Every structure is written in structure tokens, then in C-alpha cells.
Amino acid sequence: MKEIAVSDVKAKTNPDAADPTAPYGSANNPSEFDVLKRLDANEPYFIIRGGDPLSDALVELHAYIGAGQSGAAHDTLERILALTAQHPPRPVGSPKYRETFKISISMERYRETHGRSH
């Protein structure tokens, strides 16, 4: 399977965007597959913001795993681990850290009762 290079991916502008000059995937220029307006009222969700120090790498990892590109996923995961080896972005005792696991459990339970979202 061909790996997708980041340089090969061209962000497009949503014709219905509130601000076509806003970054693609933002509130003012949502991506084609934006789900926020389609969420079930009880469906758990997790947002990774652009300012998060790992945001681009985590989204890239998700894309590579979803596309079955294990080599690229492995490389991206190694990059994430290297970035966090010395200075984790959030300490283990952080309430946000614990909350992330609660959301993960909620997602698993939701999927078990409602199936996949796509």
C-alpha cells in the first residue's frame, strides 16, 4: 500500500465555510467529514486542539492506522514517544489525564451499544 506523504495532502476550502481563509478543519472552515454537528446527543467525543503540542502527530497517527499504513504509523508513534520522553505534556496526576481515560471508557461503552459511527 502506498504511504501518503504530508506534502501530498492538499487542504481544500469548504465552499460553505464561514471564513474560507480560516485553517481547514477549524470551526470557521470545517473539514468535509466534520462530525460535531452530527454527533448524537449522548455520543462521547474527544477534541484535539491545534495548539496541543502533539496534535498534528496524533491526528497523523490516527490517519496512518486507519489507512493500514503500519510503517508510517510506527514512524509517527516513534516521533511522538521521542517528543514526550523527557517532558510529558501532562503529568500522570493531572485531572485532564484521568479524564481522558474516562472518555475512552465512555467511547468503548457507546460503541458496544450503538455500533460504529461511520
Side-chain angles (χ1 to χ4, degrees), residues 4-114:
I4 299 171
V6 174
S7 60
D8 292 340
V9 179
K10 294 188 175 27
K12 55 186 174 181
T13 301
N14 180 343
D16 299 323
D19 178 3
T21 64
Y24 187 68
S26 65
N28 283 334
N29 188 6
S31 72
E32 179 182 354
F33 302 102
D34 185 75
V35 298
L36 284 179
K37 293 179 182 172
R38 296 182 299 160
L39 282 174
D40 179 74
N42 292 317
E43 183 174 1
Y45 63 94
F46 184 84
I47 294 177
I48 300 173
R49 297 174 63 178
D52 184 302
L54 301 174
S55 60
D56 57 317
L58 291 170
V59 172
E60 190 177 313
L61 178 63
H62 174 79
Y64 285 137
I65 290 170
Q69 295 183 8
S70 59
H74 182 268
D75 293 346
T76 303
L77 181 56
E78 280 189 351
R79 193 170 91 231
I80 291 168
L81 294 174
L83 288 169
T84 61
Q86 297 299 318
H87 303 287
R90 190 166 291 110
V92 175
S94 163
K96 261 187 141 176
Y97 175 82
R98 290 189 304 275
E99 181 182 82
T100 303
F101 283 105
K102 288 180 185 177
I103 294 169
S104 173
I105 291 166
S106 293
M107 289 175 166
E108 181 180 15
R109 289 181 181 153
Y110 183 88
R111 193 175 52 256
E112 287 171 352
T113 59
H114 294 80

